[in-house]
C-alpha cells in the first residue's frame, strides 16, 4: 500500500493554523507533519487547542531548517500554490494529485507556503509539480488549513473503493403482495369517495395511483401505517367541513 | 444550467463560523446562504472579518425561524450529519450529492446543524437524503466551515464533469412548500377521521406521516394528484360499506 503523503508547512506563522492543519490531516488519516522554520518556534502552545484532539499529529511533527531537508526522503513533491508559474511544472488538481500519489507507489509530499507570502521560487523549485485547487476565479481565498483539508480529503477519497449510496436504517421494501393490499384498500376508499370520475379517466387514474404507491419502495411497517391511514379515511367518523 | 445549492445553517452559534462558511461558499461559487434561528441574531459583527471578503454572501443571507420555512422553495434537501440514522434516507458522499444535484435540474439545499448539537430529528425529517463525509473513523471532527467547504468544493468540481446518467422520464421533485400542502391536507383529513387517537400518539404519528410523505421525492404533478385523492377522501361522498 502506498504510504500517505507528508504535509510540509513552510515558514508557518500562527500556531493555531498549524493545529488546524493537524486536525484536517487526521480527519483523513494523514499523520506525517513537517514544519520548515516555523516563525514562532516549536512546539507552539497555540497549536494544541486548534488541533481539537489531533495531538498525535502534533507530537510526531518534525522540524527542519530548509525545504531541501524536509523533502529529502520523498520521491515526488507537490507545491500547493497559485503563484510560481515561472517554473515549468505540471499543474494538477487535488484529485489528480491524489490519484497519482496512490498510483506511484513511492513516498510523496505536499508543500504549503506561509500564510501570506506563499512559497518562494527557491522553495518551489524542490517541487516536482504544482497543485492548484480550482476555485472561483473571482474569489479564491483558501486559508492554509482549508488547502490542507482539500488535499487530505482527496487523498483519502482516492483510497475508497467508492462506496455506493446506502440507506440509513434501511428496511427492505415490503413484498409486493403487501403493497398490493394498500393499493386495493386505497382504491376502494377512492371508489366510494367518487374519485374515479368521469369513467373514461378510471384506467389512467388507477395506473397513476399504482405508480405513486410503488415508487417509494416503502417498508412493510410503512405500508401497514399507510393502510391504517386509509382505513381511517375510509371508515372513520366523518366531520362535514364547512365550504 | 442547474442553480447552485443553498447552504442552510441551522441554529448557528458563532458569527465567526458563519463568516467562515460564507468564505468557503464563495470560493466555490455558492452564494445562497440561509440562517435558521441564528443564536446571536443577524447581522452579526463577528461574521464579516471571518468572511475575508465574501461580504456579498453575508449581505444576501436570509434569516428564517424554522427549517420548514428555509427549505420551502427547494426541491431536494440534503442534511449533513453523522446522526439521524433513525430515519430511512439515502446516505451519500459529497461527491455523489454534487453529481445528483447537477443532474436533477431542480433547486437543492444543504442543511448544516448547530456547531455542537447538530440537527434534531424534527429538522432532519425535512431532508430527502443524508450527506456524510467519509472521514477517518477514529477521528472525524470536521468543523462547520470545513463541512461547508467540502460540500461546496464537490459541487464546483462536479461542474467540470460529464453530466451523470439521468433517470428515465425523470421529473424534478416538487418544492417542499407544495409537499407541505399535501401533508397539511392529509393531516386535516386524518384529524376529521379520528386517526390521531389516543392523544399521546399524535406527535409520533405526525412525524411518521411527514416522513412517509417526504422520502418518495414526488414531483409537483404527483403531489397534485395525491392532493386530489386526499380531497376526495376528505370531502367526497361517503358510501357506508357493508362490514
Amino acid at each position: 500500500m502506498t504510504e500517505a503523503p507528508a504535509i510540509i508547512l513552510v515558514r508557518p506563522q500562527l500556531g493555531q493554523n498549524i493545529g488546524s492543519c493537524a486536525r484536517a490531516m487526521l480527519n483523513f488519516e494523514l499523520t506525517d507533519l513537517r514544519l520548515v522554520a516555523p516563525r514562532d518556534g516549536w512546539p507552539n502552545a497555540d497549536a494544541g487547542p486548534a488541533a481539537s484532539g489531533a495531538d498525535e499529529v502534533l507530537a510526531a511533527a518534525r522540524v527542519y531548517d530548509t525545504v531541501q531537508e524536509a523533502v529529502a526522503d520523498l520521491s515526488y513533491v507537490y507545491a500547493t500554490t497559485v503563484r510560481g508559474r515561472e517554473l515549468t511544472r505540471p499543474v494538477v488538481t487535488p484529485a489528480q494529485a491524489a490519484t497519482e500519489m496512490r498510483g506511484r507507489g513511492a513516498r510523496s509530499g505536499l508543500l504549503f507556503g506561509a500564510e501570506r507570502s506563499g512559497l518562494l521560487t527557491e522553495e518551489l523549485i524542490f517541487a516536482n509539480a504544482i497543485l492548484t485547487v480550482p476555485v472561483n476565479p473571482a474569489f479564491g481565498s483558501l486559508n492554509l488549513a482549508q488547502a490542507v483539508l482539500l488535499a487530505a480529503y482527496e487523498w483519502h477519497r482516492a483510497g475508497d473503493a467508492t462506496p455506493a449510496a446506502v440507506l440509513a436504517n434501511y428496511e427492505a421494501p415490503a413484498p409486493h403482495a403487501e403493497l398490493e393490499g394498500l393499493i386495493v384498500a386505497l382504491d376502494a376508499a377512492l371508489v366510494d369517495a367518487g374519485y374515479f370520475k368521469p369513467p373514461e379517466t378510471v384506467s389512467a387514474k388507477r395506473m397513476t395511483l399504482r405508480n405513486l404507491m410503488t415508487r417509494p419502495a416503502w417498508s412493510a411497517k410503512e405500508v401497514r401505517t399507510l393502510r391504517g391511514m386509509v382505513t381511517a379515511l375510509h371508515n372513520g367518523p366523518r366531520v362535514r367541513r364547512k365550504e
Side-chain angles (χ1 to χ4, degrees), chain A residues 220-238:
Chain A
K221 190 174 151 200
E222 290 173 324
V223 166
R224 283 195 299 276
T225 302
L226 286 159
R227 278 199 74 163
M229 291 183 192
V230 170
T231 301
L233 290 170
H234 196 185
N235 297 326
R238 158 76 52 106

Side-chain angles (χ1 to χ4, degrees), chain A residues 132-149:
Chain A
T132 298
V133 180
V135 288
N136 181 349
F139 183 79
S141 81
L142 291 174
N143 70 25
L144 186 54
Q146 287 175 322
V148 169
L149 181 78

Side-chain angles (χ1 to χ4, degrees), chain A residues 39 42 63 74 100-101 106 110-111 154 156 176 183 225 236:
Chain A
R39 185 189 68 184
W42 191 255
V63 180
L74 304 176
E100 289 177 6
M101 290 190 291
L110 296 157
L111 282 180
E154 286 287 8
H156 191 255
H176 269 255
I183 292 173
T225 302

